[in-house]
Amino acid sequence: MNTHERIDRDLSERDFTVVGKSVKRSDTLEKVTGAARYAGDVALPGMLYAKMKRSNIAHARIKSIDTSKALALQGVKAVLTHQDVPRVLHAGSPHPRSASVTKDQYILDERVRYWGEGVAAVAAVSEEIAERAVALIEVEYDPLPGLFTIEAASDPAAPPIHENGLGQNYVLPPVFVTRGDVDKGFGEADLVIEREYDLGRPTPAYMEPNVCVSQWDGNGKLTMWTSTQSAFMVRGTLAEVLGVPLNKVRVIVDHMGGGFGAKQDLFQNEFLCALLARRTGRPVKMEFSRKETFVGGRSRHPGKIWLKQGFTRDGRIVAREARVTFNSGAYGSHGPGVTNVGTAALTSLYRCENVRLEGRCIYTNSPIAGAFRGYGVVQTYYALDLMMDEAAEKLGFDPAEFKLMNAVREGDMAPSGHPIVGHGLVDCIRRVMEETNWHELRRREKPETVKRRGIGIGCEMHGSSAYPGIKEQGNAIVKMNEDGTVTLITGTAGLGTGAHTALSQIVAEELGVPFEAVSVVQGDTDIVPWDIGAFASHTTYLGGRAAQLAAADVRRQVLEHAAPLLKAEPGDLAIRDGFVVVANGSNQSLRLSEAVGPQRGMPAVQLVGVGTYMPTKSYSFAAHFAEVEVDTETGEVAVLEVVPVHEIGRVIHPIAAAGQIEGGIQQGIGHTLSEDYVIDLTDGRSLNPSFVDYKMPLSMDMPSIRTIIIETAPDPGGPYGAKGVGEDPIIAIGPAIANAIYDAIGVRFHHYPITPEQVLNALKTKANETRQ
Amino acid sequence: MKPFEYYEPATLAEASELLRRLGKDASIIAGGTDLLVELKEDLRSAHHIVNIKKIPGLTDFAYDPANGLRFGALVTVREIETSPAVNGNYPNLAKAVSLLGSIQVRNRATVVGNICRASPSADTIPPLIADGASLSVYSGGTERSIPLDEFFTGPGRTVLVPGDIVTGISMPAPRPTSGRAYIKHGRRKAMELATVGVAVSMEHVAGQCSDIRIALGAVAPTVIRARRTEDLLRGRMIDAALLAEAAESAMQEATPIGNVRASAAYRRDMVGVLTRRAIGYAMGGVQ
């Protein structure tokens, strides 16, 4: 059951006709019929198939590569090694307006820095032949010492994995955030808690493996079909590295099977595919296997968080100190952004005036960590919320009440440096407590049975848009056709979240036309306006606002054009349900097609609106309730029920928003209880690069979820007050589960994932301690 | 996937001769749910694939209270899962097949295929061993019977030689005193490989165990019988103290390895817990 409530606050009390309604998603039919085209569906005449040769050593220099046997295999058309490709240092995560990107990658280097890094690529007439050719490439390595942990790599004596001059294998200079006087704060504390939290390595495990198809035309122009969240970034980097102007690279993304942040990067395949296509003069497709999607993909940043907080007896937090250390893996990718955002997040959520934070990101010879839903905040708020639960108990407060007391409020300084709008977090916590009869449940008896139940609450806030880390910009073009239908041309990418449906709703609402009258053109860098990509929970917030502005521009033009026809002033007119009407109730109206279409020999009106929006920052909030059942003999934890309450401003499409929340909870349950991409710490080899041994929860493992969306703190910047929702749910669920496990069995864990074996061992230790 | 030669023999005799001639480089395909995945992921090489689905007589299914259950090599996991006779008489097997892969996989996979793959973690093997199942094996015109607990020689290895074709499986009928259970331990409720599987098949009257067979999955190179634990329980009144002793004994009989799925110590712990629980369920406890 989903509840969606509207509590309007300082927004115009207009009646919405399309926004806030769960209209049928515009891509439903093509997806259920299989007609929707993904990059992997692209098939071109004469197309070749490419495969990457990947290293079977984590850290080494390449002594030699012998490709002669591969080239001799019948059906092989080209082989590329580091000797055959442009050597241009580039960023794996190429956000041009961000200060925090790291140029540390080559297409192919003469050195490998993690197990499974691409060292060569083959194009052949079939995928099977390409695979056989890859096996025939002989690489001789000069091994270098493998640095697989933060401790090993950040040792001042450790050899540098990248020669960036920073020392200790820093990806970026350490980040410091200071507010108030921490030492003074600790001096006032009645209780100080200090803990270290250990973070596992979940991966996004998107459905659609990385795939691209490249084709060059006779004029030296490259067309690239690829599964990316940021088509313009791919275009920019390809152009830069291949040395061609932007108008000679066209990137097309029609549909995508998920990305969760990770598909903002380039994965070597885009360059290799393009170069193989240029070398052979034929279109080339390169599709990762599931194993390659693990090995060559991006994970969430593992690492450690040391957190120390001082509390007063009356329940205030007077000092907070933290050292966040993320393991970047072999390349920088989103390390700088994740470190900045994750560390700065610790200034907020629970109020504290005295804060001293330090964030580090360390190169290791392990899989590359990148952007992933929750972007550093999943990690730091897990630590923060777990400690709040512990402090509440030590101080004698109910954990939910304690979080409520300390929750950020209107006007508090957000991590971005902006004042927070509204009491979103307070509203969410209160609502969770009401909805679940929190106090009654807390008083419930707890029999010492084999299976024990517990409840927990976890909280979060997350920014819509990546500002101030990245200066973002959303763009849209809206055209009205002569029959009154509308075309939205948007740069906003669709990962499969229903973003284009939401954008169409906004345009329809703004223009006063039915939802079905709006169609969307997207995913082609030659056509759509520039866009930074779909990430940072900003698609609806930023792309939606740009679309709204473009639609408003068209509306103004329509009304100006219709005014003389209706013998009225434009200001007296409105568009409702496809009619231009005189607002004073005079019953006069014109169909849009009559207002803007060709008439009596006059051509149709040219109606094009352009919208550009550069946001600052807005925060969404959530509190999650989780009930778990722990089997004290097997250590298994079952999540029985989750009640997520989200404050996300104006809801554009309630079912799609609830879908985001449920999906985030599924991923978050995995993070907390079972998902961990593991490497062998002796050689850096992946131990579970498959869905057999990388355990994501599936539909049968899902608890009942009672989603509640409230709209108490709309953002004046978002379309109709809308804010982001994509990342929020994955942040709050983890602490809710960990806190519920404590409630069930009295053991506090300080890491994720919490495996059955660890639960069982902790219970044994606890039993031994009790006995002694 | 690497190319292979494909054959569709029409009779058992033809298939057996073909397999004998092709030797170890040939694989039988029935459901293909293991074989094709292994070929695609280069975990197994097979230059010859022999499809036995065109051979008549391998889809038989029969149950009667006197002779028990017998079904052919081409009977799918889903057919067993949805069979009232299996659900009514072999609840441990019914449970095991309901936990194998997904419904899509179960619609294609065969029980005999799951057996012949000889995975130590196969779901169907522990209950079938506990129930005393035997395989019918055809070779060169003769048919022989092999008890399932003598069939496996190691992970992926069996006593079969080229030319042998398992044609079906049979097991005795339960008696009014029979109790059976299977527990699969994994991280997920579906689409999961067992980290430990325990099957129990016993005869009991008023708390007294007259006979019992316990099969442990995923804790040794093959599915094994916990024979010492069976001996410990046979003829005894089952009470909490004896169950604890049996759990301890089964843990000693297991020789698990540790890997990314679970450590050896945890697997051994689970053998104890699951053995105790499975006996309880087999004696009428609610699973």
Side-chain angles (χ1 to χ4, degrees):
Chain A
M1 182 192 74
N2 296 315
T3 313
H4 163 226
E5 290 159 21
R6 166 148 305 139
I7 306 164
D8 282 310
R9 224 189 56 127
D10 64 38
L11 280 177
S12 62
E13 288 296 322
R14 57 174 293 179
D15 289 327
F16 288 95
T17 55
V18 189
V19 158
K21 312 276 190 291
S22 291
V23 297
K24 188 170 86 180
R25 275 177 65 152
S26 45
D27 56 359
T28 302
L29 192 63
E30 55 179 336
K31 281 189 173 163
V32 299
T33 57
R37 196 163 80 147
Y38 295 77
D41 294 324
V42 174
L44 302 168
M47 190 168 79
L48 300 174
Y49 298 83
K51 277 284 165 194
M52 223 186 281
K53 170 85 176 177
R54 294 180 177 277
S55 71
N56 56 359
I57 185 166
H59 198 193
R61 286 191 188 282
I62 295 171
K63 228 186 204 170
S64 65
I65 302 188
D66 183 351
T67 60
S68 55
K69 285 180 190 154
L71 279 165
L73 187 68
Q74 196 176 3
V76 171
K77 298 297 179 188
V79 180
L80 298 176
T81 73
H82 65 92
Q83 287 152 341
D84 311 306
V85 300
R87 188 171 172 80
V88 179
L89 198 61
H90 62 270
S93 159
H95 290 302
R97 300 176 184 202
S98 160
S100 59
V101 295
T102 307
K103 286 195 174 188
D104 59 5
Q105 292 186 202
Y106 295 101
I107 301 172
L108 297 171
D109 200 355
E110 42 71 53
R111 178 171 170 187
V112 298
R113 296 178 173 85
Y114 72 100
W115 187 294
E117 181 163 4
V119 295
V122 175
V125 295
S126 75
E127 202 165 20
E128 288 77 10
I129 292 173
E131 275 169 10
R132 277 158 61 198
V134 158
L136 293 172
I137 297 173
E138 290 166 6
V139 189
E140 208 183 333
Y141 294 103
D142 250 344
L144 293 165
L147 305 169
F148 303 117
T149 62
I150 289 171
E151 290 75 15
S154 56
D155 186 324
I161 294 169
H162 292 273
E163 313 288 345
N164 63 6
L166 292 173
Q168 296 179 60
N169 277 307
Y170 284 137
V171 175
L172 71 165
V175 173
F176 297 99
V177 182
T178 309
R179 289 183 188 175
D181 186 337
V182 170
D183 298 323
K184 183 166 160 280
F186 278 119
E188 292 164 8
D190 300 309
L191 168 71
V192 174
I193 305 179
E194 182 185 338
R195 295 257 173 251
E196 189 170 75
Y197 298 84
D198 255 304
L199 316 164
R201 185 186 281 116
T203 82
Y206 33 75
M207 254 194 282
E208 179 198 25
N210 298 75
V211 54
C212 61
V213 178
S214 304
Q215 183 179 39
W216 295 82
D217 73 9
N219 295 318
K221 177 166 179 169
L222 168 67
T223 301
M224 195 76 195
W225 291 264
T226 185
S227 178
T228 181
Q229 295 172 231
S230 40
F232 284 90
M233 305 305 109
V234 171
R235 181 183 74 161
T237 304
L238 278 172
E240 180 192 339
V241 175
L242 301 178
V244 294
L246 290 176
N247 67 350
K248 290 289 187 186
V249 181
R250 178 185 183 195
V251 177
I252 299 176
V253 190
D254 198 346
H255 286 287
M256 265 184 86
F260 302 105
K263 283 185 187 164
Q264 293 170 62
D265 278 20
L266 285 93
F267 296 80
Q268 295 182 280
N269 62 330
E270 297 89 349
F271 305 106
L272 292 169
C273 201
L275 289 168
L276 285 167
R278 188 154 75 181
R279 170 77 63 101
T280 59
R282 290 168 68 167
V284 175
K285 174 193 264 186
M286 186 183 270
E287 186 166 14
F288 284 6
S289 65
R290 179 54 63 183
K291 183 178 174 184
E292 287 183 285
T293 305
F294 274 99
V295 171
R298 302 289 179 269
S299 75
R300 184 178 299 293
H301 283 75
K304 288 184 192 311
I305 296 168
W306 172 84
L307 177 62
K308 180 180 169 187
Q309 291 187 99
F311 305 86
T312 58
R313 224 169 270 124
D314 61 353
R316 286 175 301 124
I317 311 164
V318 286
R320 179 179 298 148
E321 194 176 5
R323 277 197 301 276
V324 178
T325 312
F326 287 133
N327 178 345
S328 188
Y331 289 93
S333 179
H334 277 256
V338 165
T339 306
N340 274 293
V341 172
T343 305
L346 287 174
T347 56
S348 195
L349 189 64
Y350 300 115
R351 302 168 119 177
C352 179
E353 285 176 3
N354 306 309
V355 172
R356 187 162 62 212
L357 313 169
E358 192 179 326
R360 293 164 196 267
C361 193
I362 309 290
Y363 286 120
T364 62
N365 296 116
S366 47
I368 305 170
F372 184 5
R373 193 180 202 175
Y375 209 77
V377 182
V378 164
Q379 293 95 317
T380 53
Y381 280 177
Y382 186 78
L384 183 61
D385 197 281
L386 263 57
M387 187 176 282
M388 287 296 283
D389 221 69
E390 190 174 351
E393 186 189 36
K394 292 204 158 105
L395 293 166
F397 289 100
D398 175 276
E401 295 283 3
F402 187 61
K403 289 172 190 180
L404 187 58
M405 282 161 59
N406 288 287
V408 287
R409 283 161 165 80
E410 177 132 38
D412 287 356
M413 187 78 88
S416 63
H418 295 81
I420 281 171
V421 176
H423 300 287
L425 183 55
V426 169
D427 297 334
C428 289
I429 299 173
R430 284 213 177 105
R431 190 57 202 274
V432 158
M433 294 173 72
E434 284 164 27
E435 194 67 34
T436 60
N437 292 319
W438 174 262
H439 287 298
E440 206 172 299
L441 281 180
R442 289 275 299 174
R443 284 192 298 269
R444 199 168 52 172
E445 286 212 16
K446 287 192 186 158
E448 297 270 299
T449 44
V450 170
K451 293 188 178 179
R452 293 183 202 167
R453 290 191 177 190
I455 58 170
I457 184 170
C459 300
E460 69 86 40
M461 58 191 272
H462 199 67
S464 319
S465 92
Y467 187 87
I470 304 177
K471 313 290 185 291
E472 295 169 306
Q473 179 186 323
N475 296 301
I477 299 169
V478 170
K479 295 196 300 181
M480 184 172 281
N481 304 306
E482 57 264 41
D483 63 352
T485 61
V486 178
T487 305
L488 164 65
I489 306 169
T490 176
T492 294
L495 283 72
T497 55
H500 297 128
T501 299
L503 265 51
S504 300
Q505 285 179 273
I506 291 164
V507 168
E509 187 70 50
E510 194 64 28
L511 273 171
V513 299
F515 170 72
E516 293 74 19
V518 182
S519 62
V520 179
V521 173
Q522 57 94 23
D524 184 335
T525 57
D526 266 8
I527 296 171
V528 303
W530 188 89
D531 185 81
I532 196 159
F535 55 83
S537 305
H538 71 191
T539 302
T540 301
Y541 178 70
L542 158 73
R545 181 67 180 200
Q548 186 189 16
L549 294 171
D553 188 4
V554 170
R555 180 169 45 98
R556 179 186 55 77
Q557 296 174 46
V558 170
L559 297 184
E560 277 173 8
H561 186 77
L565 300 174
L566 284 162
K567 299 188 175 57
E569 291 301 311
D572 296 332
L573 301 180
I575 312 175
R576 284 192 204 125
D577 205 24
F579 286 84
V580 183
V581 297
V582 182
N584 63 11
S586 69
N587 277 344
Q588 268 191 295
S589 69
L590 264 182
R591 274 179 197 283
L592 273 174
S593 57
E594 293 166 338
V596 305
Q599 277 181 5
R600 291 187 291 275
M602 292 297 290
V605 188
Q606 161 81 339
L607 291 168
V608 180
V610 177
T612 290
Y613 182 55
M614 293 177 70
T616 53
K617 194 78 172 187
S618 154
Y619 282 85
S620 296
F621 303 90
H624 284 196
F625 163 93
E627 179 170 24
V628 302
E629 185 176 73
V630 182
D631 186 325
T632 57
E633 291 181 346
T634 65
E636 292 166 296
V637 176
V639 181
L640 302 179
E641 189 180 27
V642 177
V643 182
V645 178
H646 283 251
E647 196 294 306
I648 57 174
R650 171 80 57 199
V651 180
I652 306 296
H653 191 297
I655 288 181
Q660 285 281 331
I661 293 167
E662 289 166 18
I665 287 170
Q666 179 162 19
Q667 267 183 325
I669 291 173
H671 278 39
T672 313
L673 297 175
S674 60
E675 292 186 37
D676 200 8
Y677 180 43
V678 187
I679 62 163
D680 186 326
L681 290 178
T682 63
D683 59 12
R685 184 172 49 100
S686 307
L687 292 178
N688 55 345
S690 78
F691 285 146
V692 174
D693 284 320
Y694 181 84
K695 304 286 189 191
M696 299 165 71
L698 301 176
S699 55
M700 297 292 282
D701 305 297
M702 286 294 278
S704 128
I705 299 177
R706 195 152 34 110
T707 302
I708 296 165
I709 304 175
I710 57 176
E711 301 182 300
T712 58
D715 185 81
Y720 305 109
K723 301 189 288 190
V725 64
E727 295 173 272
D728 297 82
I730 201 171
I731 306 171
I733 182 66
I737 293 172
N739 294 333
I741 292 173
Y742 175 75
D743 187 49
I745 59 171
V747 176
R748 287 201 190 277
F749 292 97
H750 307 106
H751 73 278
Y752 63 76
I754 302 166
T755 67
E757 183 161 0
Q758 290 160 345
V759 171
L760 199 61
N761 290 340
L763 284 167
K764 284 181 187 168
T765 306
K766 189 178 171 226
N768 286 338
E769 281 166 4
T770 317
R771 227 170 279 143
Q772 277 161 10
Chain B
M1 187 157 46
K2 294 199 177 86
F4 52 77
E5 295 292 323
Y6 176 76
Y7 308 84
E8 276 184 3
T11 64
L12 274 176
E14 193 190 328
S16 175
E17 171 55 24
L18 190 60
L19 287 162
R20 194 191 53 74
R21 184 159 51 77
L22 297 172
K24 291 205 179 299
D25 209 16
S27 285
I28 292 177
I29 187 166
T33 54
D34 268 323
L35 180 68
L36 290 176
V37 173
E38 289 180 353
L39 289 176
K40 280 183 183 167
E41 299 192 354
D42 245 347
L43 302 171
R44 179 205 287 241
S45 73
H47 294 103
H48 307 279
I49 302 287
V50 179
N51 180 6
I52 59 167
K53 284 190 293 250
K54 306 288 172 175
I55 299 171
L58 298 180
T59 55
D60 298 347
F61 177 97
Y63 173 78
D64 71 71
N67 299 311
L69 182 66
R70 191 201 136 77
F71 59 88
L74 294 178
V75 172
T76 65
V77 174
R78 185 73 172 159
E79 286 174 81
I80 297 302
E81 181 190 358
T82 55
S83 151
V86 172
N87 279 279
N89 298 289
Y90 304 92
N92 46 357
L93 177 61
K95 181 84 183 171
V97 289
S98 78
L99 295 170
L100 186 152
S102 63
I103 290 176
Q104 291 91 329
V105 165
R106 301 201 286 274
N107 271 326
R108 291 207 73 86
T110 63
V111 172
V112 168
N114 190 237
I115 294 167
C116 291
R117 166 72 182 74
S119 166
S121 64
D123 281 307
T124 63
I125 298 172
L128 289 168
I129 285 185
D131 285 359
S134 297
L135 297 174
S136 304
V137 180
Y138 175 95
S139 185
T142 59
E143 191 116 17
R144 67 189 197 276
S145 173
I146 303 175
L148 193 57
D149 58 2
E150 295 169 17
F151 184 65
F152 305 102
T153 56
R157 294 202 306 275
T158 69
V159 299
L160 295 179
V161 296
D164 284 347
I165 300 167
V166 177
T167 58
I169 184 163
S170 58
M171 65 211 82
R175 285 175 281 184
T177 55
S178 298
R180 297 166 175 202
Y182 173 68
I183 306 177
K184 173 179 185 168
H185 186 275
R187 295 287 277 277
R188 278 197 293 247
K189 288 183 184 153
M191 301 293 288
E192 183 60 305
L193 295 178
T195 40
V196 178
V198 176
V200 165
S201 187
M202 66 190 295
E203 304 303 318
H204 63 101
V205 178
Q208 174 106 16
C209 167
S210 57
D211 197 8
I212 186 164
R213 289 162 67 99
I214 302 170
L216 309 178
V219 290
T222 67
V223 176
I224 55 165
R225 292 260 308 267
R227 291 178 190 272
R228 290 200 304 276
T229 309
E230 294 171 3
D231 291 343
L232 179 75
L233 294 162
R234 208 169 280 121
R236 303 269 299 273
M237 280 299 292
I238 308 289
D239 58 18
L242 184 60
L243 278 179
E245 213 183 315
E248 189 60 38
S249 164
M251 285 165 69
Q252 297 311 316
E253 292 192 71
T255 55
I257 54 159
N259 60 14
V260 72
R261 288 174 203 161
S263 73
Y266 182 72
R267 280 198 165 99
R268 198 183 289 276
D269 278 347
M270 289 309 98
V271 167
V273 174
L274 268 49
T275 300
R276 176 164 51 75
R277 288 185 179 178
I279 295 169
Y281 298 148
M283 294 180 70
V286 179
Q287 190 162 356

